[in-house]
Amino acid sequence: MANDREVLREIWDGKLPICFQLHQEDLMDIQQPDPFYVMVPRLSYFPLVTDKMKRHFLRYISQESADNEMWLDYNGQPLKWHYPIGFLYDLYCGHDPQLPWTLTVHFTKFPENILLHCPNKDIVEAHYMSTVKEADVLKHRGQVMSTMQKKDHNQLWLGLQNDKFDQFWAINRRLMESHGDNEGFKYIPLRIYSDEGICSQRLISPKNNDGSRKVIQQLLSELYPNKPDVKLRTHGILIPSDTPLQWLSEHMSYPDNFLHICLC
Amino acid sequence: MGDEKPDDISQTETSNSENVKENEQKENGESGKTDKVKVDILLKATGNAPIMKKKKWTVDAEKPIGWIIEFVKKYLKLEPEEKLFLYVNQTFAPSPDQVIRNLYECFGSDGKLVLHYCKSQAWG
């Protein structure tokens, strides 16, 4: 069970300052809009924190584009709304951190082959809940999520959406418990991304064959036997190589219950 | 290959594996992959979805789920605006950009990945 509560709190409180700028092509007004600055939780998703920013830019763009779906890019790289914000920052800026993170806002030329559509927040919720379920299948064969009530599922989502740590963790702690006589999960929900953003997900046990707990160093030599120098980054830090996977999963997973880790 | 019956409870007819035709031109960066890994998938209808005559298919492991959804929709001759949902383990709907390989590695069994499809959200 997760009991290093301070760590959970630190991770939860992680925020990023973001500077949004309207793409010049979408600008219809003779007046340049001011950039829009905001602090956003690293653990959140862009569609949950961009309503105000969108309203700010709407009056500078054409009527037709105003009904289009808004999307974001960093340095020409479209940002996937269904990845947590902090993970996107680590992926594209982790090697060269720069704050505030300057992003471009678009209302035209939606990159259909790269981004999924997000017509409303229900889509974000559906994606989020589905990812939590997937994680629970890996950890507990899906038993925790399937025995929870609908209101528990809602509480998880609302806790995340409204940035309420206690509300969220009152439910999430049940997803972080080990079952049976096992110390640890069946498998660790873990996605590792290359710097092109290609995601690799494998069945990873929190234990070695001899029953000892598996640490990052052992995971790396299992997954990348030919690359002795690889490092992993999440929540803006490089993960120490002696960190046990079970601890990492309990304390540094995103609210969707997955570890989202950048390879570097 | 593939003409033995899968040993689970499925109601499969003796369906041979067949390649899902790759008609579409690849324009995005995936073309650099040299090792074309293929995996077997089994598509099962649930709820009100029509049954596919052929259920077992072999697909390029790097294909995303969204591609499979489009393939099933085309096969079942659904209208473009009709929805189709795909589920793994009858539990969760993977993101359309998740690649088959990741799901196969984590949730495949007996050498194949079972995907349930339906026209409305089944396991919301």
Side-chain angles (χ1 to χ4, degrees), chain A residues 129-190:
Chain A
M129 292 312 307
S130 193
T131 314
V132 178
K133 283 178 188 168
E134 175 173 358
D136 191 46
V137 170
L138 292 167
K139 291 195 281 194
H140 312 107
R141 302 173 196 269
Q143 285 163 0
V144 180
M145 280 301 276
S146 62
T147 52
M148 275 184 186
Q149 295 177 0
K150 179 74 182 144
K151 68 172 171 60
D152 300 329
H153 292 179
N154 285 344
Q155 188 173 331
L156 267 183
W157 170 245
L158 291 174
L160 170 64
Q161 195 179 3
N162 300 326
D163 199 14
K164 301 279 192 232
F165 177 85
D166 293 328
Q167 188 181 5
F168 176 83
W169 270 100
I171 304 297
N172 200 52
R173 60 196 294 276
R174 287 157 61 188
L175 291 162
M176 291 298 173
E177 282 166 358
S178 303
H179 281 186
D181 41 6
N182 260 344
E183 276 300 300
F185 302 143
K186 191 165 189 329
Y187 299 107
I188 301 290
L190 167 71

Side-chain angles (χ1 to χ4, degrees), chain A residues 80 82-83 113-114 116 126-127 129-131 133-134 137-138 142 150 191 198-203, chain B residues 27-28 33 62 88-89 91-99 101-103 105-107 121 123-124:
Chain A
K80 295 186 172 188
H82 62 296
Y83 289 166
N113 54 352
I114 303 176
L116 304 175
H127 165 79
M129 292 312 307
S130 193
T131 314
K133 283 178 188 168
E134 175 173 358
V137 170
L138 292 167
K150 179 74 182 144
R191 290 180 182 160
I198 294 169
C199 162
S200 151
Q201 186 179 331
R202 298 289 177 267
L203 267 191
Chain B
E27 279 148 24
N28 35 22
K33 293 257 160 22
E62 302 306 323
V88 174
N89 273 31
T91 310
F92 67 92
S95 170
D97 64 347
Q98 173 69 294
V99 294
R101 180 179 190 148
N102 288 340
L103 294 169
E105 295 272 352
C106 294
F107 306 103
Q121 281 192 10
W123 295 279

Side-chain angles (χ1 to χ4, degrees), chain A residues 11-250:
Chain A
I11 300 279
W12 184 273
D13 288 339
K15 292 202 166 47
L16 281 171
I18 299 194
C19 168
F20 291 104
Q21 288 178 330
L22 184 64
H23 187 51
Q24 282 302 318
E25 250 181 58
D26 291 352
L27 180 64
M28 282 298 279
D29 208 285
I30 35 166
Q31 209 188 335
Q32 282 282 342
D34 288 331
F36 188 89
Y37 290 89
V38 64
M39 285 289 271
V40 301
R42 269 181 160 264
L43 300 188
S44 193
Y45 297 93
F46 276 120
L48 304 184
V49 298
T50 46
D51 284 348
K52 254 180 130 172
M53 174 276 275
K54 187 176 173 186
R55 278 200 299 278
H56 169 74
F57 287 124
L58 273 182
R59 66 192 122 112
Y60 297 96
I61 63 173
S62 72
Q63 200 61 50
E64 309 90 81
S65 335
D67 296 329
N68 291 349
E69 190 173 334
M70 186 185 74
W71 60 280
L72 305 170
D73 89 62
Y74 169 68
N75 250 351
Q77 176 68 52
L79 298 179
K80 295 186 172 188
W81 59 264
H82 62 296
Y83 289 166
I85 296 169
F87 162 72
L88 287 168
Y89 180 78
D90 288 343
L91 182 64
Y92 296 120
C93 277
H95 55 282
D96 180 21
Q98 38 190 283
L99 298 174
W101 193 23
T102 302
L103 304 181
T104 307
V105 181
H106 300 257
F107 289 87
T108 55
K109 297 186 180 159
F110 190 90
E112 302 280 346
N113 54 352
I114 303 176
L115 300 184
L116 304 175
H117 282 287
C118 181
N120 54 54
K121 294 196 179 80
D122 293 348
I123 303 292
V124 188
E125 179 180 359
H127 165 79
Y128 169 75
M129 292 312 307
S130 193
T131 314
V132 178
K133 283 178 188 168
E134 175 173 358
D136 191 46
V137 170
L138 292 167
K139 291 195 281 194
H140 312 107
R141 302 173 196 269
Q143 285 163 0
V144 180
M145 280 301 276
S146 62
T147 52
M148 275 184 186
Q149 295 177 0
K150 179 74 182 144
K151 68 172 171 60
D152 300 329
H153 292 179
N154 285 344
Q155 188 173 331
L156 267 183
W157 170 245
L158 291 174
L160 170 64
Q161 195 179 3
N162 300 326
D163 199 14
K164 301 279 192 232
F165 177 85
D166 293 328
Q167 188 181 5
F168 176 83
W169 270 100
I171 304 297
N172 200 52
R173 60 196 294 276
R174 287 157 61 188
L175 291 162
M176 291 298 173
E177 282 166 358
S178 303
H179 281 186
D181 41 6
N182 260 344
E183 276 300 300
F185 302 143
K186 191 165 189 329
Y187 299 107
I188 301 290
L190 167 71
R191 290 180 182 160
I192 299 182
Y193 302 77
S194 68
D195 47 8
E196 305 99 61
I198 294 169
C199 162
S200 151
Q201 186 179 331
R202 298 289 177 267
L203 267 191
I204 305 291
S205 166
K207 290 180 184 167
N208 296 307
N209 290 336
D210 63 2
S212 62
R213 61 187 191 175
K214 193 181 287 177
V215 299
I216 284 293
Q217 188 54 54
Q218 289 157 333
L219 172 78
L220 288 176
S221 47
E222 185 180 315
L223 293 180
Y224 311 102
N226 303 323
K227 298 186 205 162
D229 295 331
V230 287
K231 294 207 164 13
L232 301 178
R233 180 185 288 112
T234 192
H235 301 293
I237 58 167
L238 290 177
I239 308 172
S241 60
D242 57 353
T243 312
L245 284 181
Q246 178 67 30
W247 186 93
L248 199 67
S249 185
E250 289 173 7

